[in-house]
Amino acid sequence: MNAYKGKITFDKEQCVLCQTCAFVCPAGAINITCVEPQKSYDFIIWHNTCTVCGNCTYFCPTGAITLSNTLAEATPQSEKYTSITANIVEYGECPNCHEPMINVPLTMLKRSFKTISEPITSLFKLCPKCRRDHTFERRVL
């Protein structure tokens, strides 16, 4: 009989590269390395090292990492040494100044604001500097 353990899944569209998951992982199973500064990062979960403690899912601010409890999504114990989750997380571009930036996922906005409107979503498509400038112009001038 094969033993199964849960599986950590990763959604790169939700990731903001805060690296909290790698910091809180007691097993060191999550590795985030820079491929090209302010362009892209390798995001790797080593399932052979993962203890399925759930720290990464608990502390992830955007829900980019989830833990599956279903047998259909679990990794068989016999494959645990060859099973990894690998993605490239890429920076977006500010539509105003064209500087590289991490996009703010909608799930994070929903956790931060009671209601999500078009002005809020368009504001968070800007980089932090352009967002500050835009907000300052609206409030002061």
Side-chain angles (χ1 to χ4, degrees):
M1 181 173 142
N2 269 339
Y4 288 88
K5 68 180 202 174
K7 184 175 183 176
I8 301 292
T9 58
F10 175 70
D11 181 358
K12 73 178 189 173
E13 300 302 320
Q14 300 300 316
C15 183
V16 292
L17 286 173
C18 67
Q19 300 191 26
T20 301
C21 55
F23 180 75
V24 299
C25 180
I30 299 173
N31 187 7
I32 302 169
T33 54
C34 179
V35 175
E36 193 174 344
Q38 295 190 335
K39 295 281 185 189
S40 63
Y41 285 74
D42 276 339
F43 188 101
I44 298 174
I45 300 171
W46 297 94
H47 295 287
N48 64 329
T49 307
C50 178
T51 61
V52 197
C53 68
N55 279 354
C56 56
T57 61
Y58 181 79
F59 289 104
C60 180
T62 63
I65 298 179
T66 55
L67 176 62
S68 167
N69 289 332
T70 62
L71 186 60
E73 294 179 16
T75 303
Q77 191 70 17
S78 60
E79 296 174 13
K80 78 173 198 167
Y81 294 110
T82 58
S83 179
I84 67 166
T85 296
N87 279 283
I88 294 177
V89 179
E90 297 176 326
Y91 274 61
E93 183 180 280
C94 176
N96 190 44
C97 68
H98 306 291
E99 287 293 315
M101 63 174 269
I102 295 295
N103 294 319
V104 178
L106 187 59
T107 55
M108 192 169 206
L109 292 179
K110 287 180 180 178
R111 290 181 183 182
S112 303
F113 296 96
K114 186 176 181 179
T115 57
I116 305 297
S117 63
E118 175 54 35
I120 290 174
T121 56
S122 61
L123 184 64
F124 280 91
K125 290 180 182 175
L126 299 173
C127 71
K129 182 190 178 307
C130 291
R131 193 178 316 138
R132 280 191 303 272
D133 293 346
H134 176 78
T135 304
F136 182 75
E137 287 171 8
R138 295 257 180 186
R139 291 186 179 171
V140 175
L141 299 177

